[in-house]
Amino acid sequence: MFRISCNGAQKHLFSCLYSTVAAAAAPANVLMEFLVNSLDFSTKEAISTRDKLTRLRYRHYDPHVLLHLLDEMGMNKSQIKTLVSSSPQLLFCRVDENLKPKIKILQQLGLSGSQLATFLTKSSFLRRGLHTVVEPNLVYLRDLLPIHDHLPISLIK
């Protein structure tokens, strides 16, 4: 029968587990601090938002780029807070590659300022695939409805 004795192996196993938990907690704490300090989340709101993330992927974590983009669009801090609270995974998106093209489509369709902010906070549009969901739906609408004259040519192939 296999048994770990009270030698160095047990201590090593404990230290490996402890360091893995500590390493995972450090980025979560950074996220919490960002939510509280930059977006005026309460600690309880920050914990709730953090808990919506099933797996933290800090590879692309640069939330200030997202905030700058949303600010440029005309969203106020309250609207940004609502958007991040409902979709915290946006903090980990590649803004230039994933979010800007989708927002550009909405702007080309005529949404701007508060209309754009309201649409983004009340929909899951930014979480949808540009080439797998958004563009095919626009093509479908173009073919179905007689509004294709109003859709910018650059949106649809």
Side-chain angles (χ1 to χ4, degrees):
M1 181 178 204
F2 181 73
R3 178 178 170 198
I4 297 177
S5 63
C6 291
N7 61 14
Q10 187 176 24
K11 290 179 185 177
H12 176 71
L13 179 62
F14 176 76
S15 70
C16 286
L17 291 174
Y18 178 76
S19 64
T20 302
V21 170
N29 290 336
V30 170
L31 174 62
M32 295 261 308
E33 286 178 27
F34 171 79
L35 294 173
V36 170
N37 295 333
S38 297
L39 294 174
D40 299 330
F41 275 68
S42 68
T43 303
K44 185 176 180 180
E45 290 171 324
I47 291 169
S48 174
T49 300
R50 180 201 62 198
D51 290 347
K52 290 177 185 176
L53 297 167
T54 55
R55 191 175 77 209
L56 298 177
R57 296 174 299 175
Y58 286 88
R59 230 181 354 215
H60 308 296
Y61 183 60
D62 192 0
H64 297 288
V65 174
L66 175 68
L67 293 185
H68 181 70
L69 173 68
L70 298 176
D71 185 50
E72 279 183 343
M73 289 175 19
M75 292 181 76
N76 62 38
K77 197 177 238 184
S78 174
Q79 292 167 325
I80 294 171
K81 179 180 177 180
T82 302
L83 180 61
V84 169
S85 178
S86 65
S87 303
Q89 64 274 20
L90 292 177
L91 293 169
F92 303 96
C93 285
R94 292 180 173 154
V95 172
D96 290 332
E97 296 142 9
N98 293 337
L99 300 183
K100 280 186 180 180
K102 295 173 190 174
I103 291 169
K104 184 178 178 183
I105 285 176
L106 293 175
Q107 289 171 331
Q108 289 176 335
L109 289 172
L111 292 176
S112 63
S114 64
Q115 292 174 327
L116 188 57
T118 301
F119 178 76
L120 292 177
T121 55
K122 294 187 177 194
S123 73
S124 61
F125 181 80
L126 291 178
R127 292 177 289 188
R128 303 291 178 214
L130 180 62
H131 302 295
T132 58
V133 176
V134 175
E135 286 177 350
N137 284 331
L138 286 173
V139 169
Y140 175 75
L141 287 174
R142 181 198 65 193
D143 295 342
L144 181 68
L145 303 171
I147 61 167
H148 66 277
D149 293 337
H150 301 292
L151 293 177
I153 300 298
S154 64
L155 289 178
I156 303 172
K157 299 172 185 171

